[in-house]
Amino acid sequence: MDFAMGWNHFNLTLLGVWPEPRKISKTSRLMSNLVFWVTTLVTFTFICAPQTAYLILKSTSFDEVIENLSINVPIVFALIKQIVLRYHNEDAQISTNVQNYQISTRLALTVLVGQIFDDWSVPIAQQDRQMMLKNAKTSRMISIVCSTLTYLMLLAFISLQIWSSMENASEANLRGLLHPATFPYDTSKSPNFEITWLGQFVGTVLTAICYSCFDTFLAVLVLHLCGQLSVLRMTLEDLVKTTKENDYKGFHVRLGLIVHRHDQLFKFAVIVEDCFNFTLLVQTIICTVMFCFTGYRMITSVGQEDADVPIVGLTFFVIHVIYTMLHLFIYCYVGETLLGQSTGVGQSTYNCNWYDLPPKDAASLIILICRAKVPFQITAGKFSPFSLELFNSVLKTSAGYLSVLLAVKG
């Protein structure tokens, strides 16, 4: 459990939004609430509100608007992600067994994490444990790669902003701040400048962590579900063999347990879908827009004859594009995996040597095959399921919008 979710546990605790299913003290709950409100207020006070004010009051050109939105939109959405995680996180000890779909959305993440704890604590066969570990390793790799890219992007962004501030030290609009913003006080004076710069730095780090760990946390949930479906498929394929060894006694009991487990996993998938589908829709739109904005900034910066673009600036643009599309690819990858594993339950049922069963028992498998035709899926606002096909469509659409921006610039 710690191997699969260790990175997410640390990052979400740092933001005060970790859904702890076990009983914790009142002091720990108060500290979690305090951390959440402090991090949220710092980001909103020093970045979101001032940048929005700068966009409305001082942005005079198309390039300035694009530059502002390319930074402000991801930060605002990262703040929304943090609020969404907090909304679905209830600080209370509850039953973690997902038996009933009609569950309060305020308890959803707590229940799901509790179910993962239960799945890892139940004694199972070594082969099944290896299947779970395989998906846990994939989850951990995704978390490590995304976290590494986050820190690299932060380093490149802060270096680029410091370099830009040094180059434009005489311009009153920047004043050496990490983000161009409008404040109701003079940021050029000390200690106003130091406090404001530090607030923007802390807010930038926190939003970058939140933007990344939200996606990796969702990937952990979905990949754990895929692991449980793999275990279920292995159990199905061994069903007939187990039945033959017991002279067909208890076949319907074992089949009933499989159907019940499949129903539990379906409810797990529906809860994940209901919690995140609207956020994922906005994420898909933002990924498309950010690909356009960042590509536009990179191409126009390189294309200017008198432009003096530092290597760190190009590095930031490249990492930003990769970072944005990687997170969308993660959604599509785990969505594709979930679709394959859920529909594969029917294939595993067909592969279980059903022809060795009596006709009456073999016919009972047809219901399970029909049920498996309805796939588990995560969707973008219930409009389209996440799959590799959706990723290709977003790339094509983003490239088309980018060509339109460049045509408008021309």
Side-chain angles (χ1 to χ4, degrees):
M1 176 65 189
D2 291 335
F3 179 81
M5 302 193 71
W7 286 75
N8 294 278
H9 187 186
F10 173 78
N11 289 329
L12 294 178
T13 302
L14 187 66
L15 298 170
V17 293
W18 168 250
E20 180 58 65
R22 298 165 294 189
K23 187 176 182 179
I24 58 177
S25 64
K26 184 177 180 180
T27 303
S28 298
R29 290 198 299 269
L30 291 176
M31 285 298 299
S32 177
N33 293 331
L34 179 63
V35 169
F36 168 74
W37 286 110
V38 169
T39 54
T40 302
L41 289 175
V42 166
T43 303
F44 180 80
T45 303
F46 288 98
I47 301 181
C48 297
Q51 273 202 318
T52 303
Y54 184 89
L55 174 66
I56 297 173
L57 300 176
K58 296 188 177 182
S59 296
T60 58
S61 67
F62 183 71
D63 289 348
E64 288 182 353
V65 172
I66 294 294
E67 181 178 359
N68 185 289
L69 292 177
S70 64
I71 300 299
N72 196 20
V73 169
I75 290 178
V76 171
F77 188 60
L79 189 62
I80 294 174
K81 284 183 173 181
Q82 186 175 354
I83 295 172
V84 168
L85 288 174
R86 185 64 184 183
Y87 176 79
H88 295 298
N89 172 14
E90 180 73 17
D91 293 323
Q93 185 183 22
I94 60 173
S95 175
T96 58
N97 196 9
V98 185
Q99 297 287 350
N100 184 9
Y101 167 67
Q102 298 298 332
I103 183 174
S104 171
T105 56
R106 298 299 302 273
L107 301 173
L109 294 185
T110 309
V111 170
L112 295 181
V113 174
Q115 183 64 40
I116 295 176
F117 271 96
D118 292 344
D119 291 338
W120 281 101
S121 60
V122 173
I124 57 176
Q126 184 63 28
Q127 185 180 11
D128 296 342
R129 181 71 65 179
Q130 291 298 323
M131 184 63 66
M132 293 175 63
L133 284 174
K134 179 181 178 181
N135 287 273
K137 290 178 181 178
T138 304
S139 302
R140 184 177 177 85
M141 182 187 67
I142 290 175
S143 299
I144 292 175
V145 170
C146 289
S147 298
T148 302
L149 271 179
T150 298
Y151 298 136
L152 288 176
M153 189 181 68
L154 275 174
L155 179 62
F157 173 75
I158 293 173
S159 301
L160 175 63
Q161 295 302 97
I162 292 176
W163 179 87
S164 299
S165 298
M166 293 173 60
E167 289 291 313
N168 301 279
S170 61
E171 295 186 10
N173 288 338
L174 291 179
R175 296 293 186 184
L177 294 177
L178 196 57
H179 299 277
T182 299
F183 290 89
Y185 55 85
D186 188 359
T187 58
S188 62
K189 296 181 180 179
S190 183
N192 293 351
F193 171 77
E194 289 79 6
I195 294 174
T196 304
W197 197 95
L198 181 61
Q200 289 191 336
F201 174 78
V202 172
T204 302
V205 173
L206 292 174
T207 51
I209 293 174
C210 182
Y211 192 97
S212 175
C213 70
F214 178 95
D215 300 340
T216 56
F217 179 65
L218 176 62
V220 168
L221 293 178
V222 176
L223 288 177
H224 175 79
L225 177 59
C226 293
Q228 294 303 304
L229 286 170
S230 299
V231 172
L232 185 68
R233 292 179 62 182
M234 294 171 60
T235 305
L236 264 171
E237 293 177 359
D238 293 337
L239 178 63
V240 175
K241 179 181 178 181
T242 306
T243 302
K244 291 174 64 177
E245 291 175 353
N246 291 275
D247 298 327
Y248 305 108
K249 292 181 179 180
F251 169 79
H252 288 286
V253 174
R254 288 187 292 275
L255 181 61
L257 293 175
I258 290 174
V259 172
H260 178 68
R261 181 56 177 167
H262 185 264
D263 186 57
Q264 281 186 320
L265 297 179
F266 174 74
K267 292 171 182 176
F268 188 104
V270 171
I271 293 172
V272 173
E273 162 69 7
D274 286 348
C275 286
F276 297 115
N277 70 86
F278 182 74
T279 307
L280 295 180
L281 173 62
V282 179
Q283 174 82 46
T284 305
I285 296 173
I286 287 179
C287 285
T288 304
V289 173
M290 294 311 302
F291 180 85
C292 298
F293 286 171
T294 306
Y296 175 85
R297 291 181 63 192
M298 179 171 61
I299 294 174
T300 54
S301 297
V302 175
Q304 295 175 2
E305 296 181 357
D306 57 344
D308 184 15
V309 183
I311 297 298
V312 68
L314 294 178
T315 303
F316 167 72
F317 289 140
V318 172
I319 294 177
H320 196 187
V321 170
I322 295 175
Y323 178 83
T324 301
M325 302 315 295
L326 174 64
H327 281 255
L328 180 62
F329 177 78
I330 289 173
Y331 291 143
C332 296
Y333 168 74
V334 299
E336 183 82 17
T337 305
L338 182 60
L339 286 171
Q341 289 292 346
S342 60
T343 55
V345 171
Q347 184 64 39
S348 297
T349 306
Y350 181 77
N351 292 337
C352 71
N353 296 338
W354 51 267
Y355 40 80
D356 291 332
L357 293 171
K360 182 179 180 180
D361 293 335
S364 62
L365 297 176
I366 297 177
I367 299 177
L368 187 56
I369 294 176
C370 293
R371 176 63 185 83
K373 289 183 178 180
V374 180
F376 299 0
Q377 58 187 17
I378 54 173
T379 66
K382 298 188 181 297
F383 287 104
S384 174
F386 279 95
S387 62
L388 297 180
E389 181 180 357
L390 176 63
F391 182 73
N392 291 333
S393 298
V394 171
L395 283 181
K396 293 177 182 178
T397 304
S398 301
Y401 290 156
L402 176 59
S403 65
V404 172
L405 285 179
L406 294 174
V408 172
K409 174 67 176 179

